[in-house]
Amino acid sequence: MVHEIATALLPVFFALALGFGAGLRGYVDNRDVSSINKLVMDFAIPVSLFVSISSTDRSDITAHAGYIVVTVIALAVVYAVTLVLQQRTFGLQKAEAAVQAVTVAYPNYASIGLPLSAAVVGARGAIAVAIGLAVGSMTIVPFSLALLEDSKLGPNAPGSTLSRFGGALGKSACRPIFWAPMLAIVLVLCGVHMPDLIEKTLTPLGQAGAGAALFLTGLLLSAQKVSFGPNVAYGIVVKNGLMPLFVWGLCLLLGLDRVSTTEAVLLTAIPCGFFGLVFSASFGVQSRVAGSTLMLSTVAGIASLSVVIALLPQHV
């Protein structure tokens, strides 16, 4: 069991530590990460997901119907509860509350999800990661962007929150990290198989995706000034502990099979993602709470993910 946990987690946290050390020592700029972010989010990860999914069978995708329902409910509930608490209990303004809510509710699918699911679940895990990214990209991400846009423009902004949500949804759907895996899913469902030549052409770039994303996460973490308080503690407890328990309960309630339950629980047990920090930077919002939550949730993830992997059904 110890060997299995180490095999799943050591490559993930080694790449995170490498990025963290590079940023901390100044070998790589940990403030201006826009170029690395574009490489990871617009090229490497989309290509990696496209290649992984397009080589699967239609049955692998249709088998994820229950997983999709669980993921939608989990992300929406955790996001909504956190957003309300950030404003009413912790007293954050709308923009910073949205950043913290998406940080807590959206697991770090883009970097930790791919290598972790491959180690624990196998090749099928890439489909679950793509679905998780798609669900977040079509729900909590555009809602957060709409709230940030509202806050930036002020109370006299033209149009309604609903219209701004629609605009943010359209922008989210145009991101390669959304449409590339969705295109692969559509092609597989339509019975279209990618030619071997195209797969071999795309594979080298896709292979860089997971490692580059983990390095980017470490780089972002190295730039955070960490402070601990009730709000940060809330984020860690919810993301690393309560969210996977909630998902496990949903899986039992809906009668999901063992593999789907393993995927759902494992991927929602992944620590906080960096989307919130990326969005906040583009809107000029500084959130020390979100940065601290991301940092400490990732560190705590060494222990929490070990526990989850140990408790999950083996040999899925």
Side-chain angles (χ1 to χ4, degrees):
M1 178 62 68
V2 173
H3 181 265
E4 290 177 356
I5 293 172
T7 300
L9 295 185
L10 190 58
V12 170
F13 285 94
F14 173 76
L16 282 171
L18 202 63
F20 184 84
L24 203 63
R25 297 298 300 272
Y27 294 126
V28 181
D29 187 354
N30 61 5
R31 296 292 178 182
D32 183 10
V33 297
S34 57
S35 295
I36 300 177
N37 185 59
K38 285 185 178 297
L39 167 66
V40 171
M41 304 302 288
D42 291 346
F43 295 96
I45 290 294
V47 168
S48 178
L49 289 169
F50 181 84
V51 171
S52 298
I53 295 169
S54 59
S55 60
T56 61
D57 296 323
R58 182 185 303 171
S59 59
D60 292 327
I61 296 176
T62 56
H64 282 84
Y67 169 84
I68 294 172
V69 174
V70 167
T71 303
V72 170
I73 295 173
L75 266 61
V77 169
V78 174
Y79 181 86
V81 171
T82 301
L83 184 64
V84 171
L85 289 176
Q86 292 306 306
Q87 297 179 83
R88 296 186 179 180
T89 303
F90 297 109
L92 297 186
Q93 296 299 314
K94 180 168 57 178
E96 191 175 358
V99 171
Q100 177 68 347
V102 77
T103 299
V104 173
Y106 206 3
N108 203 344
Y109 291 124
S111 61
I112 299 178
L114 281 174
L116 183 63
S117 63
V120 178
V121 182
R124 168 183 160 135
I127 299 173
V129 172
I131 290 171
L133 282 166
V135 168
S137 295
M138 294 300 287
T139 55
I140 62 177
V141 165
F143 195 79
S144 297
L145 291 174
L147 290 175
L148 286 165
E149 188 73 25
D150 259 351
S151 180
K152 181 179 180 180
L153 296 176
N156 298 320
S160 63
T161 301
L162 183 61
S163 66
R164 283 187 286 278
F165 174 80
L169 182 63
K171 291 178 182 177
S172 183
C174 289
R175 294 172 180 266
I177 201 167
F178 171 77
W179 64 255
M182 287 300 98
L183 174 61
I185 289 175
V186 171
L187 291 175
V188 172
L189 290 176
C190 293
V192 178
H193 296 284
M194 184 171 58
D196 187 56
L197 179 61
I198 296 179
E199 180 178 350
K200 289 182 177 179
T201 301
L202 295 176
T203 294
L205 178 59
Q207 288 175 336
L214 288 168
F215 188 90
L216 172 62
T217 301
L219 204 59
L220 288 167
L221 292 174
S222 70
Q224 305 308 310
K225 294 181 179 179
V226 179
S227 60
F228 186 78
N231 200 353
V232 174
Y234 162 83
I236 297 169
V237 170
V238 169
K239 183 70 216 65
N240 293 49
L242 297 182
M243 192 171 182
L245 282 174
F246 176 54
V247 167
W248 177 67
L250 286 174
C251 291
L252 290 180
L253 183 65
L254 297 175
L256 265 65
D257 61 80
R258 186 177 62 174
V259 178
S260 295
T261 298
T262 296
E263 290 176 326
V265 174
L266 177 70
L267 292 180
T268 47
I270 290 173
C272 298
F274 55 75
F275 280 93
L277 291 183
V278 173
F279 297 152
S280 65
S282 62
F283 282 90
V285 176
Q286 298 295 323
S287 179
R288 190 166 183 174
V289 171
S292 298
T293 304
L294 173 64
M295 175 69 171
L296 296 177
S297 170
T298 303
V299 173
I302 299 173
S304 60
L305 281 173
S306 297
V307 172
V308 169
I309 293 171
L311 294 176
L312 286 173
Q314 301 300 307
H315 311 297
V316 295

